[in-house]
Short mmCIF file of all heavy atoms in Angstrom, two decimals:
data_model
loop_
_atom_site.label_atom_id
_atom_site.label_comp_id
_atom_site.label_asym_id
_atom_site.label_seq_id
_atom_site.Cartn_x
_atom_site.Cartn_y
_atom_site.Cartn_z
N ILE A 429 -38.25 6.12 -75.19
CA ILE A 429 -37.94 5.08 -76.16
C ILE A 429 -39.18 4.69 -77.04
O ILE A 429 -40.31 4.84 -76.55
CB ILE A 429 -37.26 3.84 -75.54
CG1 ILE A 429 -38.20 3.25 -74.49
CG2 ILE A 429 -35.88 4.16 -75.05
CD1 ILE A 429 -37.71 1.87 -74.00
N ALA A 430 -38.88 4.28 -78.22
CA ALA A 430 -39.96 3.73 -79.14
C ALA A 430 -40.61 2.61 -78.37
O ALA A 430 -39.97 1.80 -77.69
CB ALA A 430 -39.47 3.37 -80.43
N GLY A 431 -41.93 2.48 -78.57
CA GLY A 431 -42.68 1.42 -77.84
C GLY A 431 -43.11 1.69 -76.47
O GLY A 431 -43.89 0.99 -75.83
N GLY A 432 -42.71 2.89 -75.91
CA GLY A 432 -43.06 3.32 -74.57
C GLY A 432 -42.14 2.90 -73.45
O GLY A 432 -42.03 1.73 -73.06
N GLU A 433 -41.52 3.91 -72.86
CA GLU A 433 -40.44 3.65 -71.86
C GLU A 433 -41.02 3.11 -70.47
O GLU A 433 -40.23 2.52 -69.71
CB GLU A 433 -39.61 4.97 -71.63
CG GLU A 433 -40.41 6.15 -71.03
CD GLU A 433 -40.96 7.07 -72.09
OE1 GLU A 433 -41.11 6.59 -73.22
OE2 GLU A 433 -41.22 8.26 -71.74
N LEU A 434 -42.33 3.20 -70.34
CA LEU A 434 -42.92 2.71 -69.10
C LEU A 434 -43.76 1.56 -69.27
O LEU A 434 -44.51 1.13 -68.30
CB LEU A 434 -43.68 3.91 -68.38
CG LEU A 434 -42.83 5.08 -67.88
CD1 LEU A 434 -43.64 6.21 -67.44
CD2 LEU A 434 -41.89 4.60 -66.72
N MET A 435 -43.72 0.89 -70.39
CA MET A 435 -44.50 -0.35 -70.55
C MET A 435 -43.95 -1.48 -69.56
O MET A 435 -44.75 -2.31 -69.16
CB MET A 435 -44.35 -0.78 -71.96
CG MET A 435 -45.16 -0.02 -72.99
SD MET A 435 -46.94 0.02 -72.50
CE MET A 435 -47.58 0.99 -73.83
N ASP A 436 -42.66 -1.31 -69.29
CA ASP A 436 -42.11 -2.14 -68.22
C ASP A 436 -41.85 -1.23 -66.99
O ASP A 436 -40.89 -0.41 -67.06
CB ASP A 436 -40.86 -2.77 -68.71
CG ASP A 436 -40.06 -3.51 -67.59
OD1 ASP A 436 -40.52 -3.50 -66.44
OD2 ASP A 436 -38.96 -4.13 -67.92
N MET A 437 -42.68 -1.35 -66.01
CA MET A 437 -42.66 -0.37 -64.89
C MET A 437 -41.43 -0.54 -64.03
O MET A 437 -41.08 0.40 -63.22
CB MET A 437 -43.91 -0.47 -64.03
CG MET A 437 -45.13 0.27 -64.68
SD MET A 437 -44.88 2.07 -64.79
CE MET A 437 -45.24 2.48 -63.01
N SER A 438 -40.66 -1.60 -64.21
CA SER A 438 -39.43 -1.69 -63.39
C SER A 438 -38.43 -0.64 -63.88
O SER A 438 -37.49 -0.34 -63.20
CB SER A 438 -38.80 -3.11 -63.64
OG SER A 438 -38.18 -3.25 -64.87
N ARG A 439 -38.62 -0.03 -65.08
CA ARG A 439 -37.76 1.06 -65.50
C ARG A 439 -38.00 2.38 -64.68
O ARG A 439 -37.15 3.27 -64.66
CB ARG A 439 -37.98 1.34 -67.02
CG ARG A 439 -37.57 0.23 -67.91
CD ARG A 439 -37.74 0.62 -69.34
NE ARG A 439 -37.61 -0.47 -70.30
CZ ARG A 439 -38.54 -0.79 -71.24
NH1 ARG A 439 -39.67 -0.15 -71.39
NH2 ARG A 439 -38.33 -1.80 -72.03
N ALA A 440 -39.15 2.47 -64.09
CA ALA A 440 -39.43 3.66 -63.26
C ALA A 440 -38.90 3.47 -61.87
O ALA A 440 -39.52 3.11 -60.95
CB ALA A 440 -41.01 3.89 -63.18
N ASP A 441 -37.54 3.59 -61.80
CA ASP A 441 -36.76 3.23 -60.61
C ASP A 441 -36.48 4.58 -59.84
O ASP A 441 -35.67 5.41 -60.31
CB ASP A 441 -35.50 2.62 -61.11
CG ASP A 441 -34.71 2.04 -59.86
OD1 ASP A 441 -34.56 2.79 -58.85
OD2 ASP A 441 -34.27 0.89 -59.86
N VAL A 442 -37.17 4.76 -58.74
CA VAL A 442 -37.10 6.00 -57.97
C VAL A 442 -35.67 6.22 -57.45
O VAL A 442 -35.13 7.29 -57.48
CB VAL A 442 -38.06 6.05 -56.81
CG1 VAL A 442 -37.85 7.16 -55.90
CG2 VAL A 442 -39.56 5.98 -57.35
N GLY A 443 -35.00 5.13 -57.02
CA GLY A 443 -33.69 5.27 -56.40
C GLY A 443 -32.63 5.76 -57.48
O GLY A 443 -31.89 6.62 -57.23
N LEU A 444 -32.76 5.12 -58.64
CA LEU A 444 -31.86 5.64 -59.76
C LEU A 444 -32.06 7.01 -60.13
O LEU A 444 -31.14 7.72 -60.41
CB LEU A 444 -32.12 4.68 -60.99
CG LEU A 444 -31.32 3.38 -61.01
CD1 LEU A 444 -31.73 2.53 -62.32
CD2 LEU A 444 -29.83 3.49 -60.91
N ALA A 445 -33.36 7.38 -60.25
CA ALA A 445 -33.66 8.77 -60.61
C ALA A 445 -33.12 9.76 -59.57
O ALA A 445 -32.51 10.77 -59.95
CB ALA A 445 -35.21 9.00 -60.76
N ARG A 446 -33.36 9.43 -58.30
CA ARG A 446 -32.74 10.37 -57.28
C ARG A 446 -31.23 10.46 -57.37
O ARG A 446 -30.72 11.52 -57.15
CB ARG A 446 -33.24 9.77 -55.88
CG ARG A 446 -34.66 10.06 -55.50
CD ARG A 446 -34.92 9.59 -54.08
NE ARG A 446 -36.33 9.84 -53.74
CZ ARG A 446 -36.92 9.32 -52.62
NH1 ARG A 446 -36.20 8.53 -51.81
NH2 ARG A 446 -38.16 9.66 -52.36
N GLY A 447 -30.60 9.30 -57.50
CA GLY A 447 -29.22 9.36 -57.65
C GLY A 447 -28.63 10.19 -58.77
O GLY A 447 -27.72 11.04 -58.62
N ALA A 448 -29.37 10.13 -59.95
CA ALA A 448 -29.06 10.96 -61.11
C ALA A 448 -29.28 12.45 -60.77
O ALA A 448 -28.43 13.23 -61.19
CB ALA A 448 -29.84 10.54 -62.27
N ILE A 449 -30.35 12.79 -60.05
CA ILE A 449 -30.64 14.16 -59.76
C ILE A 449 -29.52 14.66 -58.76
O ILE A 449 -28.98 15.78 -58.92
CB ILE A 449 -31.98 14.35 -59.04
CG1 ILE A 449 -33.14 13.89 -60.02
CG2 ILE A 449 -32.24 15.75 -58.55
CD1 ILE A 449 -34.48 13.69 -59.40
N ALA A 450 -29.18 13.88 -57.84
CA ALA A 450 -28.12 14.31 -56.87
C ALA A 450 -26.81 14.63 -57.57
O ALA A 450 -26.08 15.45 -57.10
CB ALA A 450 -27.99 13.15 -55.85
N ARG A 451 -26.49 13.77 -58.63
CA ARG A 451 -25.23 14.04 -59.31
C ARG A 451 -25.28 15.36 -60.19
O ARG A 451 -24.26 15.86 -60.53
CB ARG A 451 -24.97 12.93 -60.38
CG ARG A 451 -24.48 11.69 -59.76
CD ARG A 451 -23.78 10.77 -60.79
NE ARG A 451 -24.49 10.41 -62.01
CZ ARG A 451 -25.50 9.53 -62.10
NH1 ARG A 451 -25.83 8.91 -61.02
NH2 ARG A 451 -26.08 9.27 -63.24
N HIS A 452 -26.54 15.75 -60.51
CA HIS A 452 -26.69 16.92 -61.38
C HIS A 452 -27.70 17.94 -60.89
O HIS A 452 -28.56 18.40 -61.56
CB HIS A 452 -27.11 16.52 -62.79
CG HIS A 452 -26.16 15.50 -63.44
ND1 HIS A 452 -24.95 15.83 -63.88
CD2 HIS A 452 -26.27 14.18 -63.64
CE1 HIS A 452 -24.30 14.79 -64.38
NE2 HIS A 452 -25.08 13.72 -64.19
N ARG A 453 -27.50 18.33 -59.63
CA ARG A 453 -28.48 19.21 -58.98
C ARG A 453 -28.48 20.64 -59.72
O ARG A 453 -29.47 21.32 -59.62
CB ARG A 453 -28.00 19.49 -57.51
CG ARG A 453 -28.49 18.46 -56.54
CD ARG A 453 -29.94 18.25 -56.44
NE ARG A 453 -30.74 19.20 -55.68
CZ ARG A 453 -31.72 19.99 -56.03
NH1 ARG A 453 -32.11 19.89 -57.30
NH2 ARG A 453 -32.31 20.79 -55.18
N ASP A 454 -27.42 20.93 -60.37
CA ASP A 454 -27.35 22.25 -60.99
C ASP A 454 -28.00 22.24 -62.41
O ASP A 454 -28.35 23.25 -62.95
CB ASP A 454 -25.86 22.67 -61.28
CG ASP A 454 -25.04 21.66 -62.02
OD1 ASP A 454 -25.33 20.46 -61.89
OD2 ASP A 454 -24.02 22.00 -62.66
N ILE A 455 -28.25 21.04 -62.90
CA ILE A 455 -28.82 20.95 -64.30
C ILE A 455 -30.22 20.32 -64.36
O ILE A 455 -31.01 20.71 -65.13
CB ILE A 455 -27.88 20.01 -65.16
CG1 ILE A 455 -26.50 20.82 -65.38
CG2 ILE A 455 -28.47 19.68 -66.49
CD1 ILE A 455 -26.55 22.06 -66.19
N VAL A 456 -30.53 19.39 -63.44
CA VAL A 456 -31.85 18.78 -63.42
C VAL A 456 -32.83 19.61 -62.67
O VAL A 456 -32.57 19.94 -61.52
CB VAL A 456 -31.87 17.35 -62.90
CG1 VAL A 456 -33.19 16.77 -62.80
CG2 VAL A 456 -30.94 16.43 -63.80
N VAL A 457 -33.89 20.08 -63.32
CA VAL A 457 -34.81 21.10 -62.65
C VAL A 457 -36.22 20.47 -62.52
O VAL A 457 -37.12 21.24 -62.12
CB VAL A 457 -34.91 22.42 -63.42
CG1 VAL A 457 -33.54 23.16 -63.38
CG2 VAL A 457 -35.34 22.16 -64.92
N GLY A 458 -36.32 19.21 -62.68
CA GLY A 458 -37.58 18.57 -62.49
C GLY A 458 -37.67 17.16 -63.14
O GLY A 458 -36.62 16.60 -63.70
N ILE A 459 -38.81 16.47 -62.94
CA ILE A 459 -38.99 15.07 -63.36
C ILE A 459 -40.13 15.05 -64.48
O ILE A 459 -41.03 15.76 -64.35
CB ILE A 459 -39.51 14.12 -62.20
CG1 ILE A 459 -38.87 14.58 -60.87
CG2 ILE A 459 -39.28 12.67 -62.54
CD1 ILE A 459 -37.50 14.21 -60.69
N LYS A 460 -39.88 14.27 -65.43
CA LYS A 460 -40.85 14.17 -66.53
C LYS A 460 -41.48 12.68 -66.42
O LYS A 460 -40.80 11.77 -66.25
CB LYS A 460 -40.24 14.27 -67.90
CG LYS A 460 -41.06 14.08 -69.12
CD LYS A 460 -41.89 15.33 -69.45
CE LYS A 460 -42.68 15.13 -70.72
NZ LYS A 460 -41.90 14.95 -71.91
N ALA A 461 -42.82 12.71 -66.54
CA ALA A 461 -43.54 11.39 -66.68
C ALA A 461 -44.50 11.46 -67.81
O ALA A 461 -45.38 12.28 -67.90
CB ALA A 461 -44.27 11.09 -65.37
N ARG A 462 -44.38 10.59 -68.75
CA ARG A 462 -45.29 10.49 -69.97
C ARG A 462 -46.37 9.55 -69.61
O ARG A 462 -46.07 8.37 -69.34
CB ARG A 462 -44.45 10.12 -71.21
CG ARG A 462 -43.36 11.13 -71.62
CD ARG A 462 -43.07 11.12 -73.11
NE ARG A 462 -42.60 9.81 -73.53
CZ ARG A 462 -42.80 9.36 -74.81
NH1 ARG A 462 -43.41 10.12 -75.69
NH2 ARG A 462 -42.37 8.13 -75.18
N LEU A 463 -47.57 9.99 -69.57
CA LEU A 463 -48.70 9.29 -69.08
C LEU A 463 -49.65 8.70 -70.17
O LEU A 463 -50.68 8.19 -69.82
CB LEU A 463 -49.55 10.17 -68.03
CG LEU A 463 -48.69 10.68 -66.86
CD1 LEU A 463 -49.66 11.35 -65.88
CD2 LEU A 463 -47.85 9.58 -66.19
N SER A 464 -49.33 8.84 -71.43
CA SER A 464 -50.22 8.35 -72.49
C SER A 464 -50.19 6.87 -72.39
O SER A 464 -49.23 6.24 -72.03
CB SER A 464 -49.65 8.81 -73.88
OG SER A 464 -49.71 10.23 -74.04
#
Side-chain angles (χ1 to χ4, degrees):
I429 54 171
E433 64 267 19
L434 291 169
M435 285 302 180
D436 173 358
M437 281 294 281
S438 73
R439 295 184 190 128
D441 187 313
V442 172
L444 278 179
R446 284 182 179 172
I449 298 166
R451 286 203 303 284
H452 301 288
R453 280 299 280 126
D454 55 331
I455 293 291
V456 175
V457 294
I459 324 284
K460 176 85 178 291
R462 297 207 300 153
L463 302 187
S464 296

